[in-house]
Amino acid sequence: MIQNISPHEYKNEYRPQAPDESSVLLYYDGRKIFVKIEEDQISFLTFGEASRYHKDIYQHSTYLFTIDEERYYLAEGIEPSNFPEYHLEDYQYFRGARPKYRQFAAVTGWQLYRWYQSHCFCGRCGKPMVHDEKERMMRCPECGLMEFPKICPAVIIGLTHKNKILMSKYAGREYKKYALLAGFNEIGESIEDTVRREVMEEVGLNVKNIRYYKSQPWSFTDTLLLGFFCELDGKDDITLDRNELAMAEWFEREEMPVKEEDLSLTNEMMMAFKNGKV
């Protein structure tokens, strides 16, 4: 999965120290990420490179995280035209970018970029927010409101029936491949109840024997994904919610239209069923 970057080590402790010349600069513009691609390998600007054109870049950056001993920062004020070997690439490209640890850095940084962008002003009194000096937090100096990065829990559901699994496709989304049923946890709801509710809402089926499988951080949607397998309880006739799904269909284990990749929990769960591991 995307977060499995071994032998590289991801360190997410907030350590707001000043960058040096070798520190990595991540620059974003909406849904695009500034990147160099050479022989299908991605890399990012360093502060040493950026400072040739932006002398004050060291004063306009926010510490994000460290991978191995390489520190990554969010930077502002870059003029992309100064760096012709780099370009802005849509975030969807990074579903398959390599090397894997830089792919992970790009999308994790994009998650934090979007959070910082949406918390420039206090949601309670409207005053400008400031960066806290000790924690990854935006703080209102006027009313004291504290905002931390938000992570939304959601479920991925492998619904099985004998030798079959239910696969689906989303309605109205960029992602067009087969997936499993999924949905966000709601206020006051246990995560197991989320599984039951989402299956009923999306395909009109009851479930039993809910079993936790594995979790995954998913920066594309600010989500912590929790994977579950469960079994059909009752009839297998599907009542499709066409606002959420374009299709849903039962597939025999041996006929599942899916190939292995190393990005998502959804794919790992589908391959686990296809290969008879669950």
Side-chain angles (χ1 to χ4, degrees), residues 25-48:
L25 183 158
L26 295 178
Y27 177 76
Y28 301 89
D29 184 2
R31 55 183 279 162
K32 294 184 177 182
I33 303 172
F34 201 47
V35 64
K36 180 196 288 185
I37 305 173
E38 293 181 310
E39 298 181 353
D40 296 325
Q41 299 288 297
I42 63 171
S43 60
F44 308 106
L45 272 175
T46 65
F47 277 79

Side-chain angles (χ1 to χ4, degrees), residues 33-258:
I33 303 172
F34 201 47
V35 64
K36 180 196 288 185
I37 305 173
E38 293 181 310
E39 298 181 353
D40 296 325
Q41 299 288 297
I42 63 171
S43 60
F44 308 106
L45 272 175
T46 65
F47 277 79
E49 291 176 292
S51 64
R52 298 201 302 266
Y53 300 97
H54 305 279
K55 301 300 183 184
D56 59 349
I57 191 65
Y58 290 94
Q59 287 73 48
H60 294 85
S61 64
T62 301
Y63 175 78
L64 296 178
F65 47 78
T66 297
I67 296 180
D68 299 332
E69 299 306 318
E70 194 171 56
R71 300 197 301 274
Y72 288 73
Y73 294 78
L74 182 65
E76 300 176 2
I78 292 295
E79 176 48 61
S81 63
N82 288 329
F83 309 96
E85 65 272 34
Y86 292 82
H87 68 281
L88 287 162
E89 189 76 46
D90 189 89
Y91 80 95
Q92 289 287 349
Y93 167 81
F94 293 87
R95 285 178 171 270
R98 290 295 182 269
K100 201 162 186 287
Y101 77 97
R102 288 180 181 158
Q103 171 202 39
F104 176 70
V107 297
T108 304
W110 187 61
Q111 179 179 6
L112 288 166
Y113 159 77
R114 288 182 287 112
W115 177 73
Y116 280 120
Q117 287 284 302
S118 61
H119 289 83
C120 295
F121 296 93
C122 178
R124 185 159 60 192
C125 72
K127 299 294 183 180
M129 300 283 271
V130 299
H131 291 257
D132 188 75
E133 295 180 356
K134 295 182 179 180
E135 299 183 81
R136 192 186 306 283
M137 176 181 75
M138 296 297 284
R139 176 172 47 81
C140 178
E142 184 71 21
C143 72
L145 181 68
M146 297 182 293
E147 288 283 359
F148 295 88
K150 298 296 189 292
I151 303 170
C152 305
V155 294
I156 302 295
I157 308 163
L159 175 56
T160 66
H161 178 45
K162 298 179 181 178
N163 196 49
K164 298 184 292 186
I165 191 169
L166 189 67
M167 298 177 66
S168 63
K169 289 187 176 183
Y170 298 122
R173 298 194 195 178
E174 292 179 84
Y175 189 78
K176 302 300 182 183
K177 297 181 181 180
Y178 281 98
L180 299 176
L181 300 182
F184 287 97
N185 177 252
E186 298 289 351
I187 297 295
E189 181 179 63
S190 73
I191 204 71
E192 292 82 5
D193 282 341
T194 303
V195 172
R196 298 183 185 96
R197 175 181 54 77
E198 286 293 342
V199 174
M200 177 54 66
E201 288 180 355
E202 294 190 353
V203 291
L205 299 173
N206 290 306
V207 304
K208 62 183 180 181
N209 298 334
I210 298 172
R211 308 178 306 282
Y212 174 72
Y213 174 73
K214 193 179 287 187
S215 66
Q216 178 184 31
W218 191 245
S219 293
F220 293 99
T221 55
D222 307 331
T223 309
L224 176 64
L225 298 175
L226 304 168
F228 291 87
F229 282 98
C230 57
E231 298 172 14
L232 178 70
D233 186 12
K235 296 182 179 180
D236 63 358
D237 299 324
I238 296 169
T239 303
L240 193 67
D241 179 356
R242 297 192 178 277
N243 291 319
E244 294 290 332
L245 300 177
M247 61 82 67
E249 183 179 343
W250 293 103
F251 284 92
E252 295 286 342
R253 194 187 303 266
E254 298 79 10
E255 299 175 356
M256 292 172 63
V258 60

